[in-house]
Amino acid sequence: MRVLILGGTGDAAELAAKVATIQGLEAITSLAGRTREPSVPLGDLRVGGFGGVAGLASYLRVMQIDLLVDATHPFATQISFNAADAATEVGVPRLMLIRRPWEKASSDRWIEVDSIATAAASVANQAQRVFLTVGRQELATFAHLEEIWFLMRMIDRPSDDALVPPGVILCDRGPFTLNNERQILIHNKIDTIVSKNSGGDATKAKIIAARELGVNVVMVNRPAIPPGEQVTDVDGALAWLFDKLHD
């Protein structure tokens, strides 16, 4: 059976590696291509968009895909809705692998918001030194906040003509250790973190460090996702694939 994994996350790469060891299953991982030097998973790989629902449905047919696992980032909602529609159109079973969101502890100093724009409004006139960890595509939303200094962490640098808020760009890729995140907050005198609620362990250390140091966190809640079968970890996805393989 041939499974298409919509990837771009550590969970997707781990799933592809484990599927590669299962007799009777063949995985193709698809990456959106937004990261210039992505971590390459095991197995077959394709990079780039599909061209909407119609393009993805066509790919499922042409490549004779039997199963579809959507293991994209929790905030990559457009591809998730496209996958739901395309899988329904073609009649391919679909699973969403969505890691659990982080949960606020009693000692956390979170402000929960529903959009990047609201996050920017939340730090205006409230913060002085912000650790911005929402990715390079969201930088322009904060560019007008000239009174705030930003430490902006992302995998790839923004383009030369991108709108960027004042501060320093830090290019790095998780997973990050607690000591690393603690030192970043202390050394840069950070008073506020802005983060998407991505969940998972790779970037959770900054949340723990903020809790320890009493740093505010503006947490962007996840957007809505399409209905369908869901699991929260790689083992759950493997169990689903085994069930389909032995149906």
Side-chain angles (χ1 to χ4, degrees):
M1 298 183 75
R2 183 174 287 173
V3 55
L4 174 64
I5 301 173
L6 301 178
T9 61
D11 288 338
E14 182 182 345
L15 179 61
K18 291 186 175 180
V19 168
T21 68
I22 300 172
Q23 187 173 2
L25 275 180
E26 174 190 355
I28 302 172
T29 300
S30 176
L31 302 178
R34 291 176 181 157
T35 302
R36 296 186 186 112
E37 296 183 7
S39 297
V40 178
L42 289 177
D44 292 337
L45 176 69
R46 71 168 301 279
V47 178
F50 290 97
V53 175
L56 179 51
S58 175
Y59 183 87
L60 295 175
R61 292 190 184 98
V62 170
M63 296 301 293
Q64 298 180 323
I65 300 298
D66 299 294
L67 303 168
L68 174 60
V69 177
D70 176 4
T72 55
H73 192 277
F75 283 77
T77 53
Q78 187 60 63
I79 183 60
S80 292
F81 278 95
N82 288 352
D85 290 343
T88 298
E89 179 181 329
V90 180
V92 170
R94 173 182 59 95
L95 177 73
M96 288 178 285
L97 170 51
I98 308 172
R99 56 191 180 229
R100 291 185 178 89
W102 298 315
E103 295 184 1
K104 182 180 179 181
S106 59
S107 55
D108 282 328
R109 302 176 62 175
W110 287 15
I111 301 170
E112 296 185 70
V113 299
D114 290 328
S115 70
I116 295 294
T118 308
S122 296
V123 299
N125 303 315
Q126 301 294 325
Q128 294 181 317
R129 297 179 70 83
V130 173
F131 188 22
L132 189 59
T133 62
V134 294
R136 61 187 168 89
Q137 297 182 14
E138 312 286 4
L139 295 179
T141 307
F142 299 84
H144 67 287
L145 299 174
E146 297 179 353
E147 73 283 1
I148 298 175
W149 182 89
F150 290 87
L151 176 64
M152 298 159 274
R153 185 167 68 192
M154 62 207 73
I155 295 175
D156 295 323
R157 292 190 65 84
S159 60
D160 292 339
D161 59 350
L163 287 174
V164 177
V168 172
I169 291 173
L170 173 62
C171 291
D172 204 355
R173 187 195 303 263
F176 302 106
T177 66
L178 178 57
N179 185 60
N180 178 84
E181 302 299 70
R182 190 187 293 117
Q183 290 303 313
I184 282 178
L185 298 183
I186 294 172
H187 177 75
N188 293 285
K189 300 178 181 177
I190 299 298
D191 57 58
T192 305
I193 295 174
V194 179
S195 174
K196 296 176 179 177
N197 195 336
S198 302
D201 294 330
T203 58
K204 185 179 181 180
K206 65 186 176 188
I207 307 302
I208 300 172
R211 180 184 305 151
E212 292 179 355
L213 298 171
V215 171
N216 296 326
V217 177
V218 178
M219 186 67 75
V220 183
N221 293 323
R222 294 181 178 184
I225 59 172
E229 290 187 81
Q230 298 179 29
V231 294
T232 59
D233 55 31
V234 172
D235 287 343
L238 287 171
W240 184 84
L241 290 171
F242 274 119
D243 285 345
K244 297 300 181 184
L245 182 61
H246 297 111
D247 275 350

